[in-house]
Amino acid sequence: MKVIDLSLALLAAVCSAQASATIEYSTVTGYFLQDEAATDPSTFDYTAVNFGLIDRAYPADSEKKNHCETKTLTQWERFYNQVEKLNRDSDEDVEYKVLFLGRHGEGFHNAAESYFGTPAWNCYWAELDGNSTASWRDAALTPNGVDQALVAHNFWQKLIQEQNIHTPDDYYVSPLTRTLQTANYTFEGLNLPHGSAQFKPVVKELFREGISIHTCDHRRSKSYIHNLFPKWHIEKHFAEDDELWNGVTSETSDAQDARSVQALGEVFFSSSSKKHSFVSVTSHSGEIGSILRVVGHRPFRLNTGAVIPVLVKAEKRKDHAPAPTTTVAWTTEPHCTVPPVTSGSVCVCPSSAAPVTTPLVTDL
Ligand SMILES: *[C@@H]1O[C@H](CO)[C@@H](O)[C@H](O)[C@H]1NC(C)=O
Ligand SMILES: *[C@@H]1O[C@H](CO)[C@@H](O)[C@H](O)[C@H]1NC(C)=O
């Protein structure tokens, strides 16, 4: 029986998202290659092209000229001045930030999905904790994934040395192990420019991956995260145990976008926000896809370990009534109880095993 043919039953709402729709987000194009239709995400290497920063002049260039006649500013210094100018020239209801959205390096769940094939992964293997040789519940980075994070580390270090890039003023990280590790390998031990913010990320629940029934989306406890990185901040009201993952229903993309709006609403217009214009978010492919939708960026799928900078304009709209508190339902995901008979692009459970919606492992 084809699992994908089953219509998804809507369950009682389990996610209540308060959309901060009074803030309108847009992507400011013209600065990064990733915004341009001609750029192919599948072959794009952010380390080969200066993060995608387009080589161009900015309105802010002329303002700074008199002070800097003896020194030619680098592209990244001039871009930072331009973002500062955009913030300076706009009123208090408008704020610009450059979000550096980083996808985690390869995790054991990514390797397993490639090994089993996506249909079989989705409808059976991903619902297990792992197999006898690999574990993928809240998956850790593979050695390859660690290397990908170190590529990002080396790239930041190179831009610091060669272009005096302004490093992030704020760092956020999803609470899943693969993103915690990726943020650590990327930013820990960088020789940061004088006067820049220290790397002390905030672990933020709402930047986690889309919450499916896959065990890789089930986060570990707050105590575990604290023990792994004792010096990092864990945001207020962060639950000890994962209260969102349930192994039965999955967040829809609408529910996820409502969550992303809420997350961004907690990042923009915070205290001294305009001065914190460069922000790093270490997250996941699905969640970064959702953030890109919410800020009106074109779809841009990242390979594991890749980073995309996006210049975002946020605008408070007083004329808009606050959005009602919306409740977006999640859906069930039927899956097999034994390894599927895979044939091509769909998952087929063996005839003796009809798809179920009950978890395969229940050690919650
Ligand atoms: C377990 O899964 C991994 C894929 O992540 C695979 O490489 C390995 O061979 C599997 N182990 C067994 C015993 O099947
Ligand atoms: C954090 O990164 C540092 C520097 O790369 C590394 O030595 C350390 O093992 C990492 N810690 C964890 C828990 O991954």
Side-chain angles (χ1 to χ4, degrees), residues 108-116 121 125 130-136:
F108 281 95
H109 65 308
N110 300 122
E113 178 171 351
S114 304
Y115 176 79
F116 293 109
W121 167 252
W125 297 99
N131 63 10
S132 59
T133 52
S135 164
W136 49 75

Side-chain angles (χ1 to χ4, degrees), residues 10 55 76 92 101 119 143 153 158 192 200 205 210 228 230 235-236 239 259 263 276 290 304 312 316 318 323 336:
L10 282 180
D55 194 354
W76 272 102
E92 59 180 16
L101 305 171
H153 174 94
K158 179 177 128 97
L192 294 171
K200 222 181 193 196
E205 185 90 276
L228 194 60
E235 68 181 348
K236 269 188 216 146
R259 164 160 75 78
H276 291 204
S290 170
T304 44
V312 176
K316 280 191 191 161
K318 292 209 185 84
C336 309

Side-chain angles (χ1 to χ4, degrees), residues 148-199:
Q148 290 170 329
L150 293 175
V151 166
H153 174 94
N154 293 335
F155 184 60
W156 275 106
Q157 193 61 72
K158 179 177 128 97
L159 290 189
I160 292 167
Q161 269 150 14
E162 293 179 0
Q163 293 197 51
N164 191 30
I165 190 174
H166 182 91
T167 50
D169 303 294
D170 296 308
Y171 297 86
Y172 294 95
V173 57
S174 142
L176 289 149
T177 298
R178 55 195 180 272
T179 36
L180 300 172
Q181 287 182 297
T182 299
N184 173 60
Y185 283 113
T186 301
F187 295 109
E188 190 59 57
L190 278 182
N191 192 5
L192 294 171
H194 182 71
S196 55
Q198 290 306 298
F199 170 61

Side-chain angles (χ1 to χ4, degrees), residues 57-65 78 81-83 85 88:
Y58 307 118
D61 291 349
S62 52
E63 293 184 10
K64 289 271 173 176
K65 222 173 227 158
R78 291 191 295 108
N81 290 340
Q82 173 64 11
V83 177
K85 176 177 164 58
R88 208 167 47 235

Side-chain angles (χ1 to χ4, degrees), residues 33 66 147 187 194 259 281:
L33 290 170
N66 293 339
D147 287 346
F187 295 109
H194 182 71
R259 164 160 75 78
V281 179

